[in-house]
Amino acid sequence: MHPLFGSAPHVLLKAARQGGGVPSARLPMLALLLVSTGLRWPLSLAEQAVQARKLGRARGRIQPVFIVGHWRSGTTHLYNTLSQGDFGYVTPLAAGLPWDQAGLAAGLKPLLERMLPKRRFIDNIPVTPQSPQEDEVPLANMTTLSLYHALYFPRRFEATFRRAVFFDGAEPAEIEAWQEALDYFLRKVWIQQGRKQLLIKNPAYTGRIDRLKALYPGAKFIHAVRNPFEVFVSMRNFYAKLLPQFALADYNHIDIEDFILKTHTRMMRDYRSASAEIPAGDLVEVRFDALESDPMGAMQHVYETLNLPGFAETEPRFAAYLKSVDGYRKNSFALDAGTIERVSEACAETIAHWNFPIPAPRPAEAAA
């Protein structure tokens, strides 16, 4: 099913309009989405009414730990590992049906869990009913400010992405609606997860940690950072797989490589600026190479830097999970001299700031 099956009808319509609409060939799909969301929406409204008092009491009580970092920087591995700790997190059902996680999703849980894919589409990572999910997909079903709307309705891909991720051109009311949707969703997850401290992963938050800190003064941040050469080649694969899968309009007009480099440069620049204002003890950085070479050491570093309790008690669960994924093999991508030169120029600030090495060219079969 398309992820927008979990949307609100008004969000779906507005996102489609802002994204430039869909061609006539995809109108049946859009109509199917509208019918399904319209039929589900009365149940969604009923759940909102039933949970209003409980969610109201939860306002102001959550202080999440946010995992950030540009896409393909190791955030998923970090998230999957840290979720073995005593955290609450976004489950697949909460991600797919954010308006309905306490009602419809709970009632149809056995059926919906059987429908889950066995592995993530872009990188073959196993998916189970307990696999932690990022909150950007559910937010795309709750608000127009989500990068996934650029993927779903790509006629205005770059403008939609910039508005969603950097808030370029977003109206104040739209940003306020995003903030309300985020807090509503996180409070709901917090209750569903037994009121544990939430561990939330979303690469889109990398350039807006200052805004999240204002929303959640007690929040802590884990930044996964990776050599931009590896990020670039992996991001090409990311878009090559996701656009054909989810786009409801043509996307051949997008210069993906140029877009990746511009986005990475801006996001890292915004992150460096915002991170300078985060108090010591509320932000930790984890390099991808360190996460690969010494994952347990990386977990301990996170716990100690952020002063999180329970590392000794959780260490055996970390070890068991890391052993279970020990045989996982990352995708292999070629890296040619032209790409190295282009990334070196575009990402010079990031390379210098984190002292990343410049790799040698390699064929696909030799890629890490």
Side-chain angles (χ1 to χ4, degrees):
M1 294 189 298
H2 196 283
L4 283 172
F5 275 108
S7 183
H10 61 283
V11 172
L12 173 58
L13 284 171
K14 186 175 181 180
R17 185 175 67 254
Q18 289 180 335
V22 301
S24 58
R26 303 312 298 271
L27 285 176
M29 181 60 166
L30 183 61
L32 179 61
L33 288 168
L34 282 170
V35 169
S36 66
T37 56
L39 291 173
R40 199 198 74 253
W41 193 237
L43 296 175
S44 304
L45 292 174
E47 180 172 316
Q48 292 174 54
V50 168
Q51 292 226 312
R53 182 175 296 180
K54 185 187 296 185
L55 289 170
R57 291 196 297 267
R59 190 180 290 274
R61 297 182 61 187
I62 58 173
Q63 301 298 336
V65 176
F66 289 102
I67 298 175
V68 300
H70 193 284
W71 300 269
R72 317 307 303 150
S73 292
T75 56
T76 298
H77 183 38
L78 193 56
Y79 192 21
N80 288 343
T81 307
L82 284 169
S83 68
Q84 307 305 308
D86 194 26
F87 295 105
Y89 54 80
V90 180
T91 65
L93 293 189
L97 290 168
W99 297 107
D100 311 277
Q101 56 183 290
L104 182 63
L108 298 178
K109 184 177 179 180
L111 173 63
L112 295 172
E113 287 183 347
R114 285 198 297 271
M115 296 172 65
L116 290 173
K118 299 300 182 185
R119 295 182 178 275
R120 283 211 327 171
F121 186 67
I122 58 172
D123 51 20
N124 213 32
I125 290 177
V127 175
T128 73
Q130 290 75 45
S131 295
Q133 307 295 305
E134 67 180 55
D135 65 348
E136 189 70 10
V137 170
L139 286 175
N141 289 333
M142 304 177 77
T143 173
T144 55
L145 291 180
S146 169
L147 73 94
Y148 280 99
H149 291 309
L151 294 171
Y152 302 155
F153 307 106
R155 283 179 165 175
R156 299 171 182 164
F157 180 84
E158 290 201 34
T160 301
F161 184 97
R162 288 195 302 269
R163 189 177 70 252
V165 175
F166 301 116
F167 295 155
D168 291 353
E171 297 292 334
E174 198 173 17
I175 298 173
E176 184 177 351
W178 169 80
Q179 293 179 172
E180 284 296 318
L182 169 65
D183 191 57
Y184 176 87
F185 178 70
L186 293 188
R187 281 183 282 134
K188 209 170 187 182
V189 171
W190 181 70
I191 291 171
Q192 291 294 311
Q193 290 282 294
R195 293 172 169 79
K196 296 179 180 179
Q197 184 175 25
L198 291 182
L199 181 67
I200 301 297
K201 169 240 176 180
N202 192 335
Y205 296 159
T206 306
R208 58 173 95 136
I209 58 175
D210 51 348
R211 187 179 294 271
L212 290 171
K213 190 65 169 173
L215 288 172
Y216 303 106
K220 295 178 182 291
F221 300 89
I222 306 167
H223 178 229
V225 61
R226 188 183 189 187
N227 194 318
F229 298 95
E230 307 302 338
V231 170
F232 177 77
V233 293
S234 188
M235 284 300 293
R236 287 192 304 197
N237 177 67
F238 176 89
Y239 286 116
K241 288 190 172 182
L242 288 187
L243 282 167
Q245 183 76 3
F246 295 128
L248 298 176
D250 181 71
Y251 49 84
N252 292 329
H253 60 285
I254 307 169
D255 185 341
I256 287 295
E257 294 192 355
D258 182 67
F259 173 76
I260 292 169
L261 293 172
K262 289 190 300 186
T263 299
H264 186 277
T265 297
R266 179 172 177 182
M267 181 170 276
M268 292 298 97
R269 188 176 293 152
D270 288 353
Y271 165 78
R272 290 194 300 272
S273 175
S275 65
E277 304 300 321
I278 302 299
D282 286 352
L283 171 67
V284 62
E285 290 190 341
V286 177
R287 292 179 67 112
F288 184 85
D289 50 1
L291 184 61
E292 280 199 310
S293 63
D294 184 13
M296 190 64 75
M299 297 306 104
Q300 185 171 3
H301 176 57
V302 166
Y303 269 70
E304 290 178 352
T305 304
L306 299 183
N307 195 29
L308 297 173
F311 176 77
E313 295 81 358
T314 311
E315 189 173 5
R317 297 203 297 272
F318 289 151
Y321 172 75
L322 291 168
K323 183 178 180 180
S324 74
V325 298
D326 187 55
Y328 172 73
R329 182 179 176 85
K330 299 193 304 294
N331 287 326
S332 177
F333 304 110
L335 189 59
D336 59 68
T339 297
I340 292 172
E341 182 178 359
R342 188 175 185 187
V343 175
S344 297
E345 181 178 352
C347 302
E349 293 178 8
T350 298
I351 293 167
H353 182 82
W354 278 285
N355 195 29
F356 284 121
I358 297 177
R362 65 179 185 234
E365 61 270 19

